[in-house]
Amino acid sequence: MIKFFLMVNKQGQTRLSRYYEHVEINKRTVLEAEVIKNCLSRSKDECSFVEYKDFKLVYRQYAALFIVVGIDQTENEMAVYELIHNFVEVLDKYFSRVVSETLNLLQNIFSLSKL
């Protein structure tokens, strides 16, 4: 099961976040900071799957954008890895290039879906 979905730039700023389990706002900031630190500090030669606390992190880098998905222990890492790639392909198809304006638009769409 997917716990959260993050899009982060190279500076470590969260550009988009979506949580699929309730996490308090103050805990989200701490969680995101630790997750970003873990993923951005890894080299390109290292595996894109990271064990973190009671779940796994699956991430991919596209230019200056990192996409990180938190999953539980039973989820298939390779399937999530491919899901990330498919998500980026869809964004690329519809928006021609995944840029920060697109991320702002997606943030607004995700916010509306919570209503």
Side-chain angles (χ1 to χ4, degrees), residues 3-17:
K3 295 180 178 258
F4 59 84
F5 185 92
L6 301 174
M7 286 187 170
V8 181
N9 63 16
K10 276 190 174 180
Q11 291 76 34
Q13 299 168 321
T14 303
R15 304 299 299 157
L16 175 74
S17 66

Side-chain angles (χ1 to χ4, degrees), residues 50-78:
V50 181
E51 295 282 335
Y52 176 76
K53 294 190 179 182
D54 61 339
F55 52 91
K56 298 177 193 174
L57 303 174
V58 179
Y59 71 93
R60 284 186 92 151
Q61 180 181 2
Y62 293 92
L65 185 68
F66 283 83
I67 299 177
V68 183
V69 180
I71 58 175
D72 63 15
Q73 298 293 337
T74 61
E75 191 68 49
N76 183 334
E77 299 95 342
M78 284 303 293

Side-chain angles (χ1 to χ4, degrees), residues 15-92:
R15 304 299 299 157
L16 175 74
S17 66
R18 177 73 171 172
Y19 288 83
Y20 298 98
E21 291 183 348
H22 176 71
V23 179
E24 295 175 18
I25 297 295
N26 56 348
K27 291 184 180 179
R28 283 184 185 188
T29 9
V30 173
L31 174 71
E32 288 176 20
E34 291 175 358
V35 165
I36 291 167
K37 181 180 154 196
N38 276 330
C39 293
L40 269 63
S41 65
R42 297 174 63 87
S43 72
K44 291 183 180 182
D45 297 330
E46 292 182 274
C47 181
S48 293
F49 311 140
V50 181
E51 295 282 335
Y52 176 76
K53 294 190 179 182
D54 61 339
F55 52 91
K56 298 177 193 174
L57 303 174
V58 179
Y59 71 93
R60 284 186 92 151
Q61 180 181 2
Y62 293 92
L65 185 68
F66 283 83
I67 299 177
V68 183
V69 180
I71 58 175
D72 63 15
Q73 298 293 337
T74 61
E75 191 68 49
N76 183 334
E77 299 95 342
M78 284 303 293
V80 174
Y81 192 72
E82 283 301 309
L83 171 76
I84 294 169
H85 185 67
N86 289 336
F87 180 71
V88 170
E89 283 184 344
V90 168
L91 290 178
D92 191 48

